[in-house]
């Protein structure tokens, strides 16, 4: 009799376990179908920064939020592995919106792989950014996606960071802490113009060695006219310092490395380093966050990769005579119109390039409607030192536009 009871109990236990197994399988299948379980594929853009419900989250039209959600499915149209994507970040405050849009126009015009834009802007600019970017033709919109973020600084010192140097410029220092889901990003100032595909700049990431986590160009090539080695009252990188207008950032490494410094005997993480550095040097820095980056990489030179000046060509490279050897050999790859030269008459060669790209209409013949008018304007600038080197401004650009034209004709 006891044997029958034991057998009955074993059968009962087996039946219960079998039923529980079937129930778990059904529940798991239901979770997957309803979308609450883990999913594969698809690129989800990083969340809009801030974490609090502020003006940018409550007052921007609802179509903005619908747009952000719509973007999540576009980077992986086949539902499989996400397409390769390059990340480009820019900060726009004050009257820099039109300049920023022209920069973006130059970036998407030539890019080969898909581009994801991270646009940090004052709240009142958000809706107009969305309106303009959404109005661009479909064949251009298919090349990029974007998110617009509010300007965001640490609460305890937000006002101090925002007013450092130009409005909001120091936002770039906090990108590794805001874009936590992004591995690497190219940061550019709003006054940058790409004269060839962003893809070529992106390849510098593959050249990083195991210790490098950022890449920038020198501030100057000629020490006799350089600023840092003559006037700086703080440590700086290398012989002539670095310029942060074009900066590659491996943010995964930046978030994990302990940086040597002159404040503590031990290394500090990126988020621990910034505020003490500002407090120590704020009376000695002239160029704001760029000076802080120079101090950081002065003490951590092994973390930086230098790229040539043709990737960050500024008026300083020609106003005293041509002093960027890489540009003289291969042309200008990226134009940096600092000193406000896109908007005054002091350097007409720079202004001519900016206006040519700004006025160009997507889909029109790029040779006829961009390159030819630009070359005519550049010939009017030969009375200036920069104008005398006008061939450098179009050498790489003409190749990019010719390739763009051939691609467009082939697609027709």
């Amino acid at each position: 009799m006891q044997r029958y009871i034991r057998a009955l109990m074993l059968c009962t236990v087996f039946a219960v376990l079998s039923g529980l197994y079937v129930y778990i399988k059904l529940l798991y299948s239901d979770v997957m179908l309803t979308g609450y379980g883990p999913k594969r594929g698809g690129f989800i853009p990083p969340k809009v920064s801030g974490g609090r419900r502020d003006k940018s989250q409550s007052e921007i039209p609802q179509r903005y939020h619908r747009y952000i959600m719509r973007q999540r499915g576009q980077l992986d149209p086949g539902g499989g592995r996400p397409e390769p994507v390059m990340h480009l970040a820019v900060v726009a405050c004050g009257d820099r919106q039109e300049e920023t849009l022209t920069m973006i126009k130059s970036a998407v015009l030539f890019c080969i792989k898909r581009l994801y834009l991270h646009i940090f802007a004052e709240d009142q600019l958000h809706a107009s950014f969305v309106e303009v970017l959404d109005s661009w033709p479909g064949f251009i919109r298919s090349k990029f996606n974007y998110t617009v973020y509010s300007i965001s600084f640490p609460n305890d010192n937000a006002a101090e960071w925002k007013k450092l140097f130009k409005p909001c410029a120091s936002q770039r220092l906090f990108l590794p802490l805001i874009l936590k889901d992004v591995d690497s990003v190219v940061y550019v100032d709003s006054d940058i113009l790409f004269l060839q595909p962003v893809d070529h700049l992106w390849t510098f990431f593959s050249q990083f060695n195991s210790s490098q986590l950022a890449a920038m160009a020198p501030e100057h090539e000629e020490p006799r006219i350089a600023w840092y080695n003559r006037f700086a009252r703080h440590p700086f990188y290398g012989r002539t310092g670095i310029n942060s207008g074009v900066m590659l950032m491996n943010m995964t490494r930046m978030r994990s490395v302990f940086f040597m410094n002159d404040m503590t005997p031990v290394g500090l993480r990126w988020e621990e380093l910034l505020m003490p550095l500002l407090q120590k040097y704020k009376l000695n820095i002239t160029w704001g966050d760029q000076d802080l980056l120079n101090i950081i990489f002065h003490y951590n030179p092994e973390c930086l990769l230098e790229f040539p000046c043709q990737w960050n060509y500024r008026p300083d490279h020609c106003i005293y005579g041509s002093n960027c050897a890489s540009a003289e050999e291969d042309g200008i790859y990226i134009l940096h119109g600092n000193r406000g030269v896109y908007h005054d008459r002091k350097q007409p060669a720079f202004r001519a390039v900016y206006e040519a790209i700004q006025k160009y209409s997507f889909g029109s013949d790029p040779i006829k409607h961009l390159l030819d008018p630009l070359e005519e304007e550049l010939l009017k600038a030969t009375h200036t030192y920069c104008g005398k080197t006008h061939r450098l401004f179009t050498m790489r650009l003409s190749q990019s536009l010719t390739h763009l034209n051939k691609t467009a004709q082939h697609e027709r």
Side-chain angles (χ1 to χ4, degrees), residues 47 226 280 286 291:
K47 295 179 180 179
K280 178 172 182 176
T286 302
D291 289 348

Side-chain angles (χ1 to χ4, degrees), residues 88-92 96-110 115 117-120 129 133 136 186-196 198 245-246 334-336 342 354 357-358 362:
L88 181 67
V90 64
V91 178
R96 294 300 184 101
Q97 182 179 16
E98 184 61 34
E99 191 175 82
T100 303
L101 287 167
T102 304
M103 180 281 293
I104 294 173
K105 188 177 185 179
S106 72
V108 302
L109 189 62
F110 302 125
L115 192 62
L117 304 171
H118 302 272
I119 304 168
F120 291 81
F129 266 114
L133 294 175
W136 287 357
V186 171
Y187 166 85
V188 294
D189 285 347
S190 61
D191 52 9
I192 290 296
L193 292 172
F194 290 91
L195 305 186
Q196 66 166 5
V198 184
V246 179
I334 295 177
L335 196 67
H336 186 177
Y342 294 152
Y354 175 80
I357 294 174
Q358 181 189 38
F362 289 121

Side-chain angles (χ1 to χ4, degrees), residues 218-235:
E219 174 72 10
H220 285 283
E221 280 60 47
E222 175 50 65
R224 290 176 298 176
I225 61 173
W227 192 90
Y228 280 106
N229 58 290
R230 293 190 297 158
F231 305 116
R233 296 179 294 166
H234 58 77

Side-chain angles (χ1 to χ4, degrees), residues 29-50:
S29 300
D30 183 60
V31 166
M32 291 298 289
L33 288 172
T34 55
Y36 294 101
K39 299 180 182 179
R40 299 189 180 190
F43 176 87
I44 300 179
K47 295 179 180 179
V48 175
S49 63

Side-chain angles (χ1 to χ4, degrees), residues 44-228:
I44 300 179
K47 295 179 180 179
V48 175
S49 63
R52 58 187 175 86
R53 186 173 180 81
D54 56 15
K55 180 179 178 182
S56 67
Q57 293 170 309
S58 60
E59 295 182 18
I60 296 300
Q62 289 186 0
R63 66 186 180 88
Y64 170 79
H65 300 288
R66 290 199 301 271
Y67 175 79
I68 296 300
M69 296 301 293
R70 186 169 70 248
Q71 294 300 82
R72 298 185 177 185
Q74 288 185 353
L75 289 183
D76 186 20
R81 180 176 295 179
E83 296 178 27
V85 60
M86 303 174 293
H87 292 266
L88 181 67
V90 64
V91 178
C93 285
D95 59 355
R96 294 300 184 101
Q97 182 179 16
E98 184 61 34
E99 191 175 82
T100 303
L101 287 167
T102 304
M103 180 281 293
I104 294 173
K105 188 177 185 179
S106 72
V108 302
L109 189 62
F110 302 125
C111 69
I112 301 169
K113 291 189 296 186
R114 187 174 290 275
L115 192 62
Y116 201 101
L117 304 171
H118 302 272
I119 304 168
F120 291 81
E122 292 173 307
D123 293 346
Q124 64 269 23
L125 301 178
H126 286 204
S128 51
F129 266 114
V130 172
E131 181 179 0
V132 172
L133 294 175
D134 276 359
S135 72
W136 287 357
F139 72 94
I140 291 294
R141 282 294 295 112
S142 66
K143 300 174 71 172
F144 73 97
N145 294 64
Y146 70 90
T147 301
V148 180
Y149 305 81
S150 292
I151 299 298
S152 176
F153 294 110
N155 292 333
D156 294 342
N157 310 97
E160 190 169 6
W161 283 114
K162 186 170 183 178
K163 69 181 181 182
L164 184 66
F165 193 47
K166 295 179 181 179
C168 308
S170 58
Q171 181 73 82
R172 80 185 90 181
L173 296 177
F174 299 95
L175 294 183
L177 310 181
I178 297 171
L179 303 178
K180 294 181 180 180
D181 298 324
V182 179
D183 174 68
S184 298
V185 70
V186 171
Y187 166 85
V188 294
D189 285 347
S190 61
D191 52 9
I192 290 296
L193 292 172
F194 290 91
L195 305 186
Q196 66 166 5
V198 184
D199 308 62
H200 299 168
L201 178 64
W202 189 263
T203 60
F204 277 109
F205 281 117
S206 64
Q207 299 180 29
F208 282 15
N209 63 28
S210 59
S211 66
Q212 290 168 337
L213 49 78
M216 283 177 268
E219 174 72 10
H220 285 283
E221 280 60 47
E222 175 50 65
R224 290 176 298 176
I225 61 173
W227 192 90
Y228 280 106

Side-chain angles (χ1 to χ4, degrees), residues 224-384:
R224 290 176 298 176
I225 61 173
W227 192 90
Y228 280 106
N229 58 290
R230 293 190 297 158
F231 305 116
R233 296 179 294 166
H234 58 77
F236 57 90
Y237 175 85
R239 289 195 311 155
T240 60
I242 45 176
N243 184 279
S244 59
V246 179
M247 178 168 58
L248 279 70
M249 306 167 70
N250 183 318
M251 298 194 296
T252 299
R253 293 184 179 183
M254 294 177 77
R255 287 185 285 260
S256 62
V257 165
F258 287 90
F259 293 87
M260 301 306 297
N261 60 88
D262 61 349
M263 299 172 293
T264 66
V266 297
L268 296 175
R269 291 191 183 277
W270 189 260
E271 64 270 23
E272 301 168 333
L273 180 64
L274 297 177
M275 195 62 216
L277 206 61
L278 177 62
Q279 294 298 336
K280 178 172 182 176
Y281 287 105
K282 63 182 177 181
L283 299 180
N284 294 322
I285 59 178
T286 302
W287 309 114
D289 53 303
Q290 177 174 289
D291 289 348
L292 297 182
L293 289 167
N294 265 281
I295 296 168
I296 291 171
F297 289 109
H298 170 83
Y299 290 105
N300 301 271
E302 73 284 356
C303 294
L304 186 71
L305 172 70
E306 279 189 55
F307 49 71
C309 49
Q310 64 194 146
W311 297 94
N312 187 353
Y313 190 92
R314 297 171 291 115
D316 303 76
H317 291 118
C318 54
I319 57 177
Y320 307 114
S322 184
N323 60 73
C324 177
S326 59
E328 290 172 5
E329 183 175 346
D330 296 319
I332 300 168
Y333 292 176
I334 295 177
L335 196 67
H336 186 177
N338 66 333
R339 302 176 181 263
V341 294
Y342 294 152
H343 313 294
D344 59 30
R345 301 291 177 182
K346 294 180 181 179
Q347 298 300 331
F350 281 79
R351 181 177 178 130
V353 179
Y354 175 80
E355 291 184 344
I357 294 174
Q358 181 189 38
K359 295 175 181 177
Y360 173 71
S361 296
F362 289 121
S364 61
D365 186 327
I367 303 299
K368 181 178 179 181
H369 296 287
L370 199 164
L371 184 61
D372 291 347
L374 171 59
E375 290 180 332
E376 289 183 17
E377 288 300 315
L378 287 173
L379 291 175
K380 301 176 185 178
T382 54
H383 61 284
T384 65

